[in-house]
Amino acid sequence: MSSAEKVKDPEKEKRKIKSDKKMRDLMTAYYIEAKTPKEQTGKKIAWITSGGPVEPLHVMDIIPVYPENYGAMIGASKMGVELCEKAEAMGYSSDLCSYARADIACATVNGGPIGGLPEPDMLICCNNICGTVLKWYEVQARYYKVPLFILDTPICHTEYNPDMKRYVTTQIQEYISFLEKICGKSFDYDRMMEVGKLSVQGQKLWQEVLDTTMNRPAPMTCFDAFFHLAMIVTLRGTQTAVDFYESLLAEMKDRIAQGIGMLAEEKYRLVWDNLPVWYRLRWLSNKFAAHSACLVADTYTSGWCSSMKYLDENDFLGSLAEMYTRIFLNTGTDIMADNIVKMVEKYEADGVVFHSNRSCKPYSLGQYDIQRIIQEKVGIPTLMIEADMSDERNFSESQVETRIDAFIEMLK
Amino acid sequence: MITAGIDVGSISAKAAIIKDHELLGSCVILTGYNSRNAGRQVFDRILSELHLSESQIDKIIATGYGRNSIEFADKAVTEITCHAAGANFLNPEIRSIIDIGGQDSKAIVINDKGKVQDFSMNDKCAAGTGRFLEVMARALEVDLDAFGELSLQADNIASISSLCTVFAESEVISLIAKGEKRENIIAGIHASIGSRVMAMGKRIGITSPVMMTGGVAKNIGVVKALEEKFNTPIIVSTHAQVNGAIGAALIASTLS
Ligand code: SF4
C-alpha cells in the first residue's frame, strides 16, 4: 500500500456514518426476536404491507414483519433473479411486482436472506400502496392457512372526503376486533395512546433526519436514507425507533457543525424518485459520487412521513384512517408532482432522477407527466432510467450509465 | 491544434480528426467482438489515411458504448453530448437530433451553442434501431443497403404492430407467407421505426430544424418515414454516421 493511500483513509473514515452499525445491530436484534420460536417469546407474528397501520400490532404485542422489507433484502443480496424465476416457473407473470414474486417463491423454499421470514400467524394487507398486495396476500393466506385482514383505502386523487373517512374508520374498528379475536385479549386503548405518540415522534424525527440534507454539503445522501429507512418502516411506534433516530439526528447535526458532507465534493444536488435499485445501490452511489452529484432527497424514504400532518397525536386512532389513506402513493399524479416540486425547492436541487420501475406500477405510471410538470414549473433537467428494484434482469448497465453520464454533462 | 474523436458503437467504430475547427477526415470500421481493439484500429486507420502520427494528435476523446474501454483517450464523453456538438458544427441552425445507431435510438434537443437541453433514449428493447433493421433484412433476404430505395417503391405500407424485434420478425415472416410485396413490408418496417422514434421525440418536444445522425441515416426510407411522422423536413449530412466522432474531436479541442 502506498503512503498516499494511507493518508486517504481517515478522510473516508470521517465520512462514514457511525450510526450505520447501530442500525445494523438493531435490525439484527429485531429479526432475531421475530425468528425466535413463538413458544419462547409468546408473541404472534403478523406480516404486514409497508404502508399498513402497524401501531395496533404493537399495542397487542404482535411482532410485525414486512415482506417488502424482505424483498429489499432479497434484492440487495442479489437473490431476486433466482426467486423471481422460481415464481415464474410456478406460473406467476414476469410483469408481477418483483417483491411479490420473490416473496411468494421464497415461502416455498428453504433459504433466502436470514434463512427466510418467520411464518405468519396472520396477514395484514393495506392497499394504500398498490393493488398488487391484495392478490399477493391472498396467495400467502392460502399458503400459510392463516387469517387475512384487508384494509381498503380508496385513492385520494386530490381530496379526502367524509365518505372516505367513514369507510376507512369503520374498517379500523374491524381491524381492532380482528386482532382481539386472534389474540384472545381485549385491545388496550391507553397503550394505543402511548404507541401513537411514539409513532408520531418517530416520524417527526425521521423527517428531521431527512431535512438535514438541506445543508450544503449534505451530511448524508438518499443512499444512506435508503438504509436507515428500515427502522421507520418496521419499528414505527416503538421506543427503539425513537431512540435510534434521535441519535442519528444528533450525528447528522454534528456532521453539519463540523462541515462533513457525504461527498468529498458536492457540485450538483439531485432528487431521486421511486424505489431504490437495491442490487445496484453501491454502483449507483459511486456513479453519482464520481460526478460530484449528491442525491440529497427522494420521494421514497420521505413516504413514511408524507402524511404525518394528518395525524393527531391526541386522537391517534381517530386520525389513523386519514393518515394511512393519504400517503403519497395513494394520491393522484398532481399531488405527486407537487410533492417533487416542493422537494426541489426545499433542497435546492439542480435536477431530478426518475427510476421508472418495472415492478411498481402505481409509482411509475405518472412519471412522464410528472417529468413534464417539473420542467414546466421549475425548469430543471430530469432524467429517466429504466430498471426494477429487485429483478436485475430489468437493468442494463451500459444504458443506465450512458444516461447518467449524459445527464451530468447536460448539467455542466 | 489537432484532435481526434473515437466513437465505438455496438456495430461500427468511427474516428474523426479535427484541425483548427476543420474536419480533416473520418473513417468507419466494424466493431467486431472487441471494442477496445476496434478503437485502436479505427484510430490507426485514420492516422495512416491522413498521414499523421499519433504524436501529432493533441487530445483524444472517446465516445459511444465502448468509450470507457479506450485507454489512449484523454477523456470519455457520452455520444449524446458528442452528437450535439457534431450537429452544431455541421449546421449551427440545428435544434434537434434524431440519432439511430446499432443498439439504440435517441432524440436530443440542443441550443444554438450545441449544448444538450434534453434527451430521451429507447428503453432496453432493440426495436427501432440498427440491429432491428439487420434482423429484418435477414428475414427478407435483402441487402440492408437496398432497404431505402426499395421502400420508396412501395404502393402500400404493410402494418407491423409488434414492439418487440423478435415478434416483429415473425410478423414480417407471416407477411412474406401471405405474399405481401417486399417493398411494402420494408416500408412498414420503416414506418414502425418512425412511430417509435416519434414517441420518444415528442416526449422531449423536438423542434425544427431536425438533423438525423447515426448509421441508419443512410437509409432514405427511414428518413422519409420520420419526416412524415414529425411532419418536418429532416436534414441528413453526408457525415451522419461519423457525427458522434466529429463531436468528440470538437470537444477534445476544448480540453486544456
Ligand atoms: S407494486 Fe409497488 S407498492 Fe406494490 S408491493 Fe410492489 S413495490 Fe410495493
Side-chain angles (χ1 to χ4, degrees):
Chain A
M1 194 193 284
S2 74
S3 57
E5 272 170 311
K6 266 186 209 146
V7 188
K8 252 186 176 174
D9 268 344
E11 174 68 12
K12 255 193 180 167
E13 276 315 297
K14 192 178 82 181
R15 295 189 198 287
K16 254 195 203 141
I17 296 178
K18 311 289 175 290
S19 307
D20 283 4
K21 187 183 175 305
K22 197 186 285 173
M23 167 84 188
R24 222 165 250 132
D25 293 346
L26 288 169
M27 288 308 288
T28 308
Y30 156 73
Y31 273 114
I32 287 177
E33 191 196 10
K35 294 203 58 157
T36 303
K38 286 160 202 168
E39 306 78 61
Q40 285 175 38
T41 59
K43 292 180 177 177
K44 290 193 187 302
I45 302 271
W47 285 13
I48 181 167
T49 53
S50 66
V54 64
E55 293 84 354
L57 296 177
H58 289 304
V59 172
M60 296 302 266
D61 271 325
I62 298 166
I63 303 178
V65 166
Y66 292 81
E68 287 155 81
N69 175 248
Y70 191 59
M73 285 163 69
I74 288 173
S77 46
K78 303 194 196 246
M79 292 181 179
V81 172
E82 199 189 317
L83 288 167
C84 284
E85 279 171 354
K86 168 134 186 65
E88 287 155 29
M90 288 162 75
Y92 292 95
S93 159
S94 60
D95 288 325
L96 182 66
C97 162
S98 55
Y99 278 175
R101 268 178 293 153
D103 180 63
I104 290 169
C106 204
T108 68
V109 297
N110 240 336
I114 64 161
L117 284 180
E119 285 196 14
D121 297 296
M122 72 200 85
L123 301 172
I124 314 296
C125 172
C126 178
N127 62 356
N128 58 354
I129 47 170
C130 66
T132 304
V133 289
L134 289 176
K135 290 294 154 194
W136 170 6
Y137 275 59
E138 277 175 15
V139 166
Q140 295 300 49
R142 277 200 300 274
Y143 184 80
Y144 288 107
K145 302 189 179 58
V146 292
L148 162 67
F149 184 82
I150 291 173
L151 182 72
D152 180 30
T153 48
I155 293 182
C156 302
H157 288 286
T158 48
E159 57 156 14
Y160 181 71
N161 62 37
D163 290 340
M164 292 175 173
K165 183 173 175 156
R166 211 169 335 113
Y167 179 63
V168 184
T169 307
T170 314
Q171 293 178 72
I172 298 278
Q173 283 150 11
E174 289 166 4
Y175 178 33
I176 289 172
S177 321
F178 171 89
L179 296 179
E180 285 179 324
K181 202 170 133 213
I182 289 190
C183 297
K185 62 178 181 187
S186 50
F187 194 75
D188 182 343
Y189 287 86
D190 293 333
R191 177 106 194 270
M192 182 72 254
M193 285 282 284
E194 288 162 32
V195 171
K197 284 208 165 75
L198 290 171
S199 171
V200 174
Q201 236 179 312
Q203 293 181 52
K204 277 189 183 147
L205 283 163
W206 178 234
Q207 183 65 60
E208 278 182 63
V209 168
L210 297 176
D211 285 350
T212 59
T213 58
M214 289 192 315
N215 190 70
R216 282 173 196 259
M220 59 182 245
T221 71
C222 78
F223 295 104
D224 303 299
F226 292 155
F227 174 65
H228 289 287
L229 166 76
M231 188 76 68
I232 194 71
V233 178
T234 54
L235 293 171
R236 186 165 72 246
T238 66
Q239 190 65 45
T240 314
V242 170
D243 292 345
F244 174 74
Y245 285 129
E246 261 168 6
S247 71
L248 181 61
L249 180 61
E251 185 180 353
M252 290 304 135
K253 286 186 171 161
D254 189 49
R255 285 166 78 93
I256 291 177
Q258 292 188 50
I260 303 174
M262 191 35 104
L263 266 55
E265 189 192 13
E266 184 181 299
K267 270 202 228 157
Y268 313 105
R269 294 165 65 85
L270 306 172
V271 169
W272 174 274
D273 181 54
N274 213 307
L275 274 76
V277 184
W278 291 115
Y279 46 88
R280 283 306 180 111
L281 278 188
R282 179 166 311 197
W283 185 84
L284 281 165
S285 141
N286 289 342
K287 181 90 225 161
F288 282 106
H291 287 300
S292 303
C294 184
L295 285 137
V296 289
D298 71 281
T299 56
Y300 178 63
T301 58
S302 53
W304 276 268
C305 36
S306 65
S307 54
M308 187 169 57
K309 53 180 179 276
Y310 307 116
L311 261 185
D312 177 357
E313 213 176 320
N314 300 313
D315 179 19
F316 191 79
L317 261 191
S319 54
L320 202 61
E322 179 161 4
M323 121 111 179
Y324 277 105
T325 306
R326 301 188 81 168
I327 73 160
F328 82 108
L329 259 186
N330 204 38
T331 60
T333 302
D334 291 319
I335 292 185
M336 289 198 196
D338 195 47
N339 180 35
I340 300 184
V341 167
K342 285 198 180 112
M343 284 186 134
V344 166
E345 284 162 356
K346 175 172 170 185
Y347 296 95
E348 298 178 344
D350 306 300
V352 182
V353 180
F354 290 90
H355 164 205
S356 170
N357 184 349
R358 181 112 189 104
S359 268
C360 193
K361 284 80 182 174
Y363 217 145
S364 310
L365 184 73
Q367 280 177 319
Y368 281 122
D369 285 316
I370 296 176
Q371 199 178 22
R372 184 180 39 76
I373 295 171
I374 287 168
Q375 268 154 3
E376 281 165 13
K377 286 203 175 153
V378 280
I380 59 170
T382 59
L383 170 71
M384 186 74 70
I385 53 181
E386 274 116 17
D388 184 286
M389 75 265 176
S390 281
D391 188 347
E392 262 187 271
R393 292 170 297 173
N394 287 314
F395 185 88
S396 155
E397 182 176 301
S398 62
Q399 288 257 357
V400 173
E401 183 167 41
T402 299
R403 287 176 206 212
I404 295 175
D405 289 350
F407 179 64
I408 303 286
E409 285 163 9
M410 197 166 102
L411 287 175
K412 278 182 188 164
Chain B
M1 187 180 198
I2 307 182
T3 55
I6 314 286
D7 176 0
V8 180
S10 61
I11 296 181
S12 60
K14 285 81 64 174
I17 305 278
I18 295 268
K19 185 184 182 188
D20 302 329
H21 227 69
E22 206 173 300
L23 180 63
L24 291 188
S26 63
C27 74
V28 183
I29 65 164
L30 287 177
T31 303
Y33 73 94
N34 188 335
S35 60
R36 199 180 304 241
N37 270 351
R40 184 77 241 176
Q41 275 176 24
V42 77
F43 185 44
D44 288 345
R45 171 87 61 95
I46 189 72
L47 287 177
S48 84
E49 274 178 21
L50 297 175
H51 308 294
L52 289 168
S53 71
E54 197 168 341
S55 58
Q56 286 174 276
I57 309 295
D58 295 303
K59 293 283 176 199
I60 304 168
I61 280 190
T63 186
Y65 271 94
R67 66 185 179 282
N68 292 322
S69 60
I70 309 302
E71 276 142 9
F72 59 88
D74 294 290
K75 202 182 164 191
V77 174
T78 63
E79 55 273 32
I80 292 154
T81 303
C82 289
H83 273 289
N88 179 264
F89 168 78
L90 296 173
N91 181 345
E93 301 292 309
I94 298 298
R95 287 297 169 272
S96 303
I97 302 164
I98 292 166
D99 171 52
I100 307 187
Q103 67 174 21
D104 59 29
S105 42
K106 316 174 187 72
I108 311 167
V109 174
I110 64 175
N111 68 10
D112 56 349
K113 307 262 174 345
K115 193 174 179 312
V116 178
Q117 301 297 295
D118 203 355
F119 67 92
S120 59
M121 286 169 76
N122 63 316
D123 45 35
K124 282 169 283 296
C125 173
T129 67
R131 279 273 184 241
F132 176 74
L133 283 168
E134 278 187 0
V135 170
M136 297 308 148
R138 212 174 47 218
L140 284 163
E141 293 178 351
V142 171
D143 186 21
L144 187 52
D145 290 335
F147 254 48
E149 287 304 326
L150 280 172
S151 69
L152 298 184
Q153 294 157 28
D155 48 35
N156 177 35
I157 298 177
S159 136
I160 291 161
S161 53
S162 180
L163 290 178
C164 161
T165 304
V166 177
F167 291 165
E169 185 183 9
S170 30
E171 269 188 77
V172 164
I173 291 168
S174 72
L175 283 169
I176 299 171
K178 271 189 217 143
E180 181 64 85
K181 275 170 64 182
R182 264 207 315 224
E183 291 79 358
N184 296 353
I185 299 177
I186 297 173
I189 291 167
H190 293 162
S192 95
I193 293 185
S195 310
R196 285 218 131 203
V197 175
M198 178 182 67
M200 246 168 38
K202 287 258 160 89
R203 210 149 73 206
I204 57 164
I206 275 217
T207 44
S208 308
V210 182
M211 176 180 266
M212 185 168 169
T213 64
V216 176
K218 286 190 292 190
N219 180 329
I220 177 76
V222 174
V223 177
K224 285 260 174 296
L226 287 170
E227 286 184 330
E228 239 156 69
K229 298 281 176 195
F230 284 106
N231 197 20
T232 181
I234 288 176
I235 299 160
V236 181
S237 120
T238 45
H239 298 301
Q241 198 180 5
V242 291
N243 183 60
I246 293 175
L250 283 165
I251 297 171
S253 66
T254 64
L255 291 181
S256 47

